[in-house]
Amino acid sequence: MWTGWASLIPVAALVVVVLGAIAVLKLQKLSIGRSAREPAVAPTAAAPTGFHQSSQESREEFVRRHWQRPGVVADGVTLVDLYDRIAALEERLARAEQRSASPAPPD
């Protein structure tokens, strides 16, 4: 009697896995069918929240404009600080390139 129950466990597990897979596939088909019936919404048709970056605005300008607003930028203070450091490095690089490009004074 015990061997019959022992062989029933793997068969029951196999049936559960197969039925679960069939259920998942049917749910996926239903969700794909629903999304195909719903009209596609254009990205610009989203409700305006005041946090949208304009096409003429750079990411840096957007972060600088909204750095104190939660939920807009991950960490506005850190990003603004990084933008300031990058600008300072670019200035130093430009000065160094000007010095190396200018001719050396005659001896």
Side-chain angles (χ1 to χ4, degrees):
M1 178 82 177
W2 174 251
T3 58
W5 285 104
S7 64
L8 185 63
I9 293 173
V11 172
L14 181 64
V15 168
V16 168
V17 169
V18 169
L19 291 177
I22 291 171
V24 167
L25 288 174
K26 286 192 182 258
L27 287 173
Q28 284 179 345
K29 285 182 183 178
L30 285 175
S31 68
I32 289 172
R34 277 192 201 139
S35 65
R37 281 183 272 156
E38 294 174 358
V41 177
T44 57
T49 60
F51 297 133
H52 294 288
Q53 180 178 346
S54 69
S55 59
Q56 298 86 17
E57 183 178 38
S58 72
R59 179 68 180 157
E60 179 180 356
E61 292 166 345
F62 177 80
V63 169
R64 287 186 185 278
R65 187 165 47 102
H66 293 291
W67 73 272
Q68 293 179 331
R69 298 177 90 166
V72 180
V73 291
D75 190 355
V77 177
T78 303
L79 287 174
V80 170
D81 182 48
L82 285 174
Y83 286 135
D84 291 340
R85 289 180 185 199
I86 290 169
L89 285 172
E90 288 173 345
E91 289 175 14
R92 286 176 48 198
L93 179 64
R95 285 193 305 257
E97 287 176 344
Q98 288 174 352
R99 277 186 294 219
S100 67
S102 63
D107 286 335

